[in-house]
Amino acid sequence: MCRAGSQGGKFAVAVKEEMTDEERLDFAKGLSLKLMWKIRIRGEKLFLSANYQTAVYPKDGNSAEDLLNKLITDHYMRLYVESPAEDLTEKCRLLAAGRTDVEFSEYADYQLTELSKALNQYRKSVEQIAYFDPVYHIGNRMKYLKDVDMLISYDAKRYFRVYSMDIRSFSKYNELFSVSTGDALLMEITRRLEHIFGNNLYRINGDVFIGISFEADKDKDHKVGRIRNAFQSPIVVEDSTFTLDVLIGICDYPLHAKTSEKLLESVQMAVNYAKTSGAGMANNVILYDDKLLEVRREEARIVRLLETSLKEKTLEVWYQPLYHLKRERFTGTEALVRLPHGNGGYVPAGQVIEIAEKNGLVGQVGEYVIHRACTFMMEKGKKLGIESMGINLSVQQLLVENSVPSIIGHIKKTGLDPKCITFEITETVLIQSIELAKGILDELSSYGVRIALDDFGIGYSSLNYLLNLPVNVLKFDRSMTKKSVDSEKQYALLKAMIQMADISQMDVVAEGVETKEEWKMLTSTSASYIQGFYYSKPLPEEKLMQFLRDNNHIENVKQ
Ligand code: C2E
Ligand code: MG
Ligand code: MG
């Protein structure tokens, strides 16, 4: 390769031997892609615009000079032959129609070339606004789509790998610290990821980054290790040190998807799978494959099952009794949804709720459970000594407009006093929208219903923030009990936390108590209630009634 011509290296010439016509065509495609590539000059990103000509020896000339002359003459001929005004007008039209690959070129006329340069500058400044994140200075979703479309159109055979990186529970950093802390964390992550992906890094929304890599398969673990490091190496913001947990989805072009949109959809599907499958730190990387499609199909089946069971009222509600330690009897129950699977079994409740949330059905499910549980309480529960019915509320159900009057309306329709209801809200989910949730919980409790914080201990587990919320009951997650049986330290911690809840006038329920040993340990704390398989699994209505008749020593209640 050498530089040629009189205009200070404006032309570069390269020689390649023994190429067929087809190879030349492929090569030309790759070449024009390379020429349009962004480059960095003194820290600034620039796009090069360049034309290329080819000459073939001996057809186009017998000496190096002849061949060079042919290339340069062809270049200027092209400039003369193309009608500049028509070309400019057509390009402006394409630009106005939203085309993103328009490049204004040089013309023989000096003034038109100047105009062309000015239009290029204008196009770039508009692109900057449309395609770049103004805060983090990396490409956005539109830029990702544009770049990947271009990659594919230039060389449909070229392999590349798309990584989606999502920070686990990122919103809690904004909620618990400040938005500027969240921004500072994202800024540092962006900087670190740029070291890995260079210009092929995009921020798709919020805390979701996309990176593209052209390296081959075998490099996967190395790359993943570097990504993990970028998130997990400590980040210091003001006085606090953070280490973030990342979920990574991976998808290959052209194996898993063949368009920019489909690649994004598939890689997001992989990340969402990592999120919802409860993958721990060790298993937070999901490579897209057909199994994910299978998961999707099963999900669609469950949605249909749920819709039918709501319509035909075959969705079941089971109840698990809560034992009051001081009063030595069962005074509460928790309502738990049960969706028949069609093969004699049931779809796990957690999965039903998650799918209902994703598919806009959680409001209907919630309404159904409230209606069933309150009716049961009115007609049978109270007579069996049950004073409080626990009903789980999905935060999604809570955060919709006018949720409180509608929820209370459904209770009142059954004739039940709202005081008999304890709504259970999961701690980890609540904390992600704590400001909004606080107002709604205040409104709910103004009607006399009680509020329980469910699964306490697996999330943030601070009693501090709870003091501002109208929480009456803390339900300690099973994992807390399990840990405390084996460790003196954990036991002391659990005991102290229960004591603090007691001082703050919150009732404590120990959930998921299975063994005599766990039960014994808990009776030496100030927990008020015990719920778990130790006493009973969740039971259908009739079986629960029998259980309560046998254990609360109440007779004469008809089935
Ligand atoms: P949760 O509210 O924490 O309910 C307690 C879960 O622990 C129930 O699982 C129950 O069967 C299980 N459990 C009870 N005792 C034991 C025990 O001793 N050992 C073990 N290993 N597990 C025990 P289930 O019914 O599968 O429900 C799972 C979650 O699904 C619930 O957790 C709740 O968050 C959600 N859910 C269930 N029904 C509803 C509903 O109607 N609405 C909403 N929004 N969520 C619901
Ligand atoms: Mg619950
Ligand atoms: Mg729970």
Side-chain angles (χ1 to χ4, degrees), residues 334 336 392 424 454-455 475 511:
E334 175 176 4
L336 295 158
N392 293 285
E424 302 189 0
D454 210 345
D455 304 342
K475 299 193 76 174
E511 287 187 292

Side-chain angles (χ1 to χ4, degrees), residues 261-371:
E261 293 267 10
K262 276 260 172 280
L263 278 162
L264 192 58
E265 202 181 292
S266 308
V267 84
Q268 288 298 86
M269 200 198 285
V271 169
N272 287 338
Y273 182 77
K275 229 184 254 181
T276 53
S277 62
M281 292 275 262
N283 186 25
N284 55 4
V285 187
I286 302 286
L287 178 65
Y288 179 89
D289 67 15
D290 292 343
K291 266 188 239 124
L292 288 186
L293 263 187
E294 196 40 59
V295 169
R296 259 199 152 178
R297 271 190 213 118
E298 173 65 5
E299 200 177 299
R301 213 179 77 81
I302 294 174
V303 170
R304 281 198 302 276
L305 222 55
L306 189 57
E307 280 171 336
T308 318
S309 74
L310 280 166
K311 209 158 67 197
E312 295 174 356
K313 304 204 185 320
T314 48
L315 185 64
E316 297 178 23
V317 179
W318 289 22
Y319 303 92
Q320 189 176 31
L322 272 73
Y323 189 77
H324 195 295
L325 282 169
K326 278 206 184 111
R327 292 165 70 191
E328 295 184 347
R329 65 181 187 89
F330 296 92
T331 61
T333 56
E334 175 176 4
L336 295 158
V337 75
R338 290 290 180 266
L339 174 66
H341 200 284
N343 57 7
Y346 291 87
V347 182
Q351 196 183 4
V352 173
I353 297 303
E354 185 198 312
I355 290 177
E357 282 181 341
K358 265 203 236 160
N359 293 277
L361 290 169
V362 78
Q364 278 184 67
V365 173
E367 217 172 277
Y368 186 96
V369 174
I370 291 174
H371 179 78

Side-chain angles (χ1 to χ4, degrees), residues 5 158 209 246 250 254 318 377 429 483 517 525:
R158 188 178 185 199
F209 293 90
V246 62
I250 302 176
W318 289 22
M377 189 68 186
V429 187
K483 275 191 262 174
E517 201 187 359
T525 68

Side-chain angles (χ1 to χ4, degrees), residues 22 51 148 166-167 206 244 263 271 281 329 332 344 354 394 509:
E22 200 179 327
N51 290 316
V148 172
D166 191 332
I167 304 171
L244 306 178
L263 278 162
V271 169
M281 292 275 262
R329 65 181 187 89
E354 185 198 312
S394 140
V509 180

Side-chain angles (χ1 to χ4, degrees), residues 491-508:
Y491 169 69
L493 186 71
L494 178 73
K495 200 169 168 178
M497 282 172 94
I498 294 179
Q499 211 157 17
M500 274 160 74
D502 203 25
I503 294 167
S504 317
Q505 291 178 322
M506 291 186 236
D507 280 341
V508 168

